Amino acid sequence: MKKITFSKEEKAAIVARLQRYFADELDQSIGALPAEFLLDFFTAEIGPYYYNQGLRDAHAALVSKMEDFGEAIYLLEKEPAKG
C-alpha cells in the first residue's frame, strides 16, 4: 500500500486541530512536535483502516451507479417488430 501523506499545509492544519482538541476536550496543552508525532502514529497505524473504508465506500457507490447505468441501458432497448 502506498504511504499516506499530507501536504505541509494539511499537516499544519491537522496538528493545529489536535492541539485544539487537547486544549478543549482534555484541558491539556500539547506542543506542535508531540502533536506531529501523534499524527504520524495515527496516519501509520490507524489511517489504513479509514483509507480502506473509503475504498469500500467508493466501490459501493460505483457499483450502485453502474447498476443504475445498466438499468438505464435496459430501458433504452426496443421491442422488435412482430411478424
Side-chain angles (χ1 to χ4, degrees):
M1 181 180 92
K2 184 178 174 184
K3 183 178 177 186
I4 299 170
T5 58
F6 300 105
S7 69
K8 285 183 181 183
E9 295 81 14
E10 290 171 326
K11 194 167 191 173
I14 297 168
V15 164
R17 290 184 72 121
L18 284 170
Q19 290 177 300
R20 250 190 331 273
Y21 176 81
F22 269 74
D24 295 346
E25 300 297 328
L26 304 175
D27 293 324
Q28 292 184 0
S29 175
I30 183 173
L33 193 56
E36 275 192 51
F37 288 150
L38 186 58
L39 173 59
D40 290 342
F41 170 77
F42 283 143
T43 300
E45 300 295 327
I46 299 168
Y49 292 101
Y50 283 98
Y51 179 83
N52 292 340
Q53 184 61 51
L55 289 177
R56 286 189 292 272
D57 292 346
H59 181 260
L62 179 63
V63 166
S64 175
K65 292 297 178 187
M66 291 300 291
E67 288 171 357
D68 292 346
F69 188 63
E71 180 68 21
I73 291 172
Y74 175 76
L75 292 173
L76 293 173
E77 287 185 3
K78 306 288 185 206
E79 280 291 321
K82 306 251 182 195

